[in-house]
Amino acid sequence: MSSAPIPDDAPRGRLRGRRIAVTGAASGIGRATALLFAQEGASLALLDRDPDGLKETAQETVGSAFEVDITAEDEVAAAAERAAVELGGIDGVVNAAGIMFRGLAADVPAADWRRVLEVNLTGTYLVTRSFLPWLTRETAASVVNIASGQGLLPNSPGYTAYAASKGGIVALTKALAAELAPRIRVNCIAPGMVDTAMADGHRDAAASTYALQRIADPTEIAASLLFLTSTDASYVTGSVLGVDGGRAFH
Ligand SMILES: NC(=O)c1ccc[n+]([C@@H]2O[C@H](COP(=O)([O-])OP(=O)(O)OC[C@H]3O[C@@H](n4cnc5c(N)ncnc54)[C@H](O)[C@@H]3O)[C@@H](O)[C@H]2O)c1
């Protein structure tokens, strides 16, 4: 009887020669993505508002760092332009910057509501829009956004603002995919809880709600972002990939 093949996790140069912008690169999923993409041969433009984390990721990936707030339209446009010049072009964008907000709908201050929508939804849009001039069909351009299980199945009380912002990401992704085809593929992933700073204080209660009985490691999310960014997903656009350990059907 033949045994199961041993998984080969070695880098395979799946992004060799590709120039990718990653937001949220100072921490969590964005950072894990930058590290994986660098291993796979990509040149990176790293965007984040946190200078210390950004510097660390840049050192480990030999990436170009851009300290920006993704809600600041002019800052983002200037960073995109500088990134494209430094890297000699841009072939893909991963929008991983985002914030969490927990609070019951009746109590959420309007300023907090606006901030969550501004960072998670408008910020993702502004970054994508700023990189559009460089994204071409010839280089198999790709944009990948990060929604959330909360954007698909918002059934946990206390997440209304966050869920609305992530539901918006799903719609934004599909609308952009339609508008930018066939030039640029646009997809998003919908993770369940991931072991990053965003999960602080909530890890223990969450595990049992997933079929796989655990929350995700950020490297597992990065792997799905690699798939959608790479030409392995050359026929995938407008899709929402659940990377949620089975939450959606559990
Ligand atoms: N961790 C989870 O459980 C989880 C689950 C589903 C989806 N997500 C999504 O994944 C993405 C990454 O989250 P994470 O878990 O890595 O969180 P994280 O807090 O570890 O990282 C978020 C990064 O985004 C940056 N950022 C936030 N606001 C910014 C702004 N205005 N301008 C520039 N940079 C900004 C932060 O500085 C940070 O480096 C987010 O969109 C989040 O909503 C996370």
Side-chain angles (χ1 to χ4, degrees), residues 24-30 47-50 68-71 95-99 115 119-120 146-149 162 166 191-199:
S27 169
I29 295 169
L47 285 72
D48 205 292
R49 66 177 175 188
D50 163 17
V68 287
D69 183 325
I70 59 164
T71 65
N95 283 299
I99 55 173
R115 183 69 189 157
V119 174
N120 291 355
I146 305 189
S148 163
Y162 183 74
K166 293 301 183 174
M193 189 173 283
V194 187
D195 194 2
T196 69
M198 202 174 269

Side-chain angles (χ1 to χ4, degrees), residues 45-62:
L46 309 166
L47 285 72
D48 205 292
R49 66 177 175 188
D50 163 17
D52 297 335
L54 195 56
K55 199 169 152 203
E56 238 174 79
T57 308
Q59 276 166 356
E60 286 189 46
T61 60
V62 200

Side-chain angles (χ1 to χ4, degrees), residues 182-207:
R183 181 163 72 105
I184 305 166
R185 294 185 302 104
V186 187
N187 293 289
C188 71
I189 61 166
M193 189 173 283
V194 187
D195 194 2
T196 69
M198 202 174 269
D200 284 352
H202 295 266
R203 287 178 183 80
D204 294 343

